[in-house]
Amino acid sequence: MRTLNSLTQNLIESLTLLLQQPGEDALQTLEVCAPVLIEQLQEVLVRAVDRRDFEIQLRAVLEVWLTKYPQSSAAETALFGGLRSGGLVSHAQVTVL
């Protein structure tokens, strides 16, 4: 699942570029930019969603729904296949209920 916003992408790209060129210039840049980088990292942390928690919640809701509205094995397989291809569940969690 690709959920990176522009803030996160810019942060990762900037840090990657700085860390690929270790040296005095990179250290000076990090020293100047540290407050902004720390602030952005804190924003990422606040907004971050643990994908495992999301998958567990999704799985629980689907189990309840499938109990109320039973589907054929083929329909369940197609449902989880679609969720997997959309990046909403991992390969390990895809099993027919």
Side-chain angles (χ1 to χ4, degrees), residues 17-71:
L17 287 173
L18 284 171
L19 296 173
Q20 285 176 343
Q21 302 171 3
E24 191 63 32
D25 291 342
L27 290 175
Q28 288 177 348
T29 302
L30 283 171
E31 186 176 349
V32 170
C33 296
V36 174
L37 291 173
I38 290 169
E39 183 180 316
Q40 289 182 350
L41 284 170
Q42 288 171 332
E43 281 295 314
V44 169
L45 181 63
V46 167
R47 294 180 186 175
V49 175
D50 189 336
R51 185 174 177 175
R52 293 168 296 187
D53 290 341
F54 175 75
E55 288 183 38
I56 291 168
Q57 291 174 4
L58 180 59
R59 168 70 87 187
V61 168
L62 283 174
E63 286 177 5
V64 169
W65 187 83
L66 288 170
T67 301
K68 289 182 180 179
Y69 308 101
Q71 303 295 310

